[in-house]
Amino acid sequence: LITSCDKNNINKIDHIEIFKLPDKLEYYHYEEIVTDGIIVHCVYEDETFNVIDDFEVCYSNLDLGENEVTIKYQGFSTTYRVFIKEPCEIDIKIKSLPNKLEYFIDEEISFNGLKVEVLYDDGSSEEISNFDLSYDDLKIGKNTIYIKYHQFLENFDIFIKEVEKIRLFDYHDFSSRTI
């Protein structure tokens, strides 16, 4: 296996060609293009060839969608295409529950402290605040709160309890009062 065009070869270079494309052809917009796995041939006029690995990889600003990558070697070039994509949302996750999860009946519900993040297919995540909250009429006991963001749903429970009645005794006359 020769790793560069043989400069002593009496045949002249006719062209270069990609014999095998790189292992990776899809990238997220923030990734560098890599050529791992690519095999490039330096083809001579007599149709013999050598495998080269000291080629130059060129590309300009990559836009979303299909983009061209150029392989250059000794004044010759060839191209292949890569696809640039944005990470896709795959789910949502509760990062932290609200500060308070237990309430008395008729107490105003607060979602302060609730943090939700969207998860992406590239392993990244991002905190979001533009999600919708919904729940049925609140009743005593467990109540489920639903979080909706685009097509994703998550939930958590809050608990509603009755106001506790406490009987107080006046120890002097043994009378009682309920509050």
Side-chain angles (χ1 to χ4, degrees):
L1 180 71
I2 300 172
T3 59
S4 66
C5 281
D6 184 354
K7 297 186 183 1
N8 297 323
N9 191 324
I10 56 172
N11 289 318
K12 290 188 176 183
I13 299 173
D14 183 59
H15 65 279
I16 63 170
E17 66 184 11
I18 297 171
F19 179 73
K20 180 185 172 290
L21 288 169
D23 298 334
K24 185 172 181 174
L25 296 172
E26 283 193 3
Y27 294 87
Y28 293 106
H29 66 281
Y30 52 81
E31 290 182 297
E32 274 300 309
I33 303 295
V34 293
T35 56
D36 295 349
I38 195 170
I39 298 175
V40 179
H41 288 170
C42 175
V43 181
Y44 299 102
E45 289 176 346
D46 68 357
E47 297 183 13
T48 61
F49 67 89
N50 290 331
V51 175
I52 57 173
D53 63 3
D54 55 342
F55 50 82
E56 182 183 355
V57 178
C58 303
Y59 53 90
S60 56
N61 295 334
L62 300 173
D63 297 319
L64 292 178
E66 203 170 76
N67 291 267
E68 193 170 87
V69 176
T70 302
I71 302 294
K72 293 182 179 182
Y73 181 78
Q74 294 187 4
F76 294 89
S77 65
T78 188
T79 62
Y80 68 95
R81 296 191 141 332
V82 295
F83 189 79
I84 307 300
K85 61 183 180 175
E86 285 284 346
C88 293
E89 298 169 345
I90 58 170
D91 206 356
I92 58 172
K93 177 178 136 185
I94 297 173
K95 192 172 178 181
S96 67
L97 289 168
N99 300 332
K100 187 172 180 180
L101 296 173
E102 288 189 11
Y103 295 89
F104 289 110
I105 195 125
D106 295 329
E107 186 178 357
E108 187 175 334
I109 307 298
S110 169
F111 297 107
N112 288 337
L114 176 63
K115 293 186 179 176
V116 178
E117 61 186 4
V118 62
L119 307 175
Y120 295 98
D121 63 351
D122 68 347
S124 66
S125 62
E126 177 182 23
E127 191 171 314
I128 55 172
S129 59
N130 57 335
F131 52 84
D132 295 320
L133 293 171
S134 65
Y135 48 89
D136 295 330
D137 289 336
L138 298 175
K139 61 188 182 321
I140 294 177
K142 181 172 92 169
N143 292 268
T144 301
I145 308 298
Y146 298 96
I147 303 166
K148 185 172 192 285
Y149 177 75
H150 298 164
Q151 73 271 23
F152 306 109
L153 219 71
E154 183 64 84
N155 66 68
F156 64 93
D157 294 324
I158 63 170
F159 299 89
I160 307 294
K161 54 187 177 179
E162 288 186 63
V163 175
E164 296 175 13
K165 295 181 181 179
I166 302 172
R167 180 168 275 175
L168 300 176
F169 291 94
D170 181 359
Y171 291 105
H172 299 288
D173 65 0
F174 296 103
S175 62
S176 65
R177 292 179 180 79
T178 303
I179 53 172

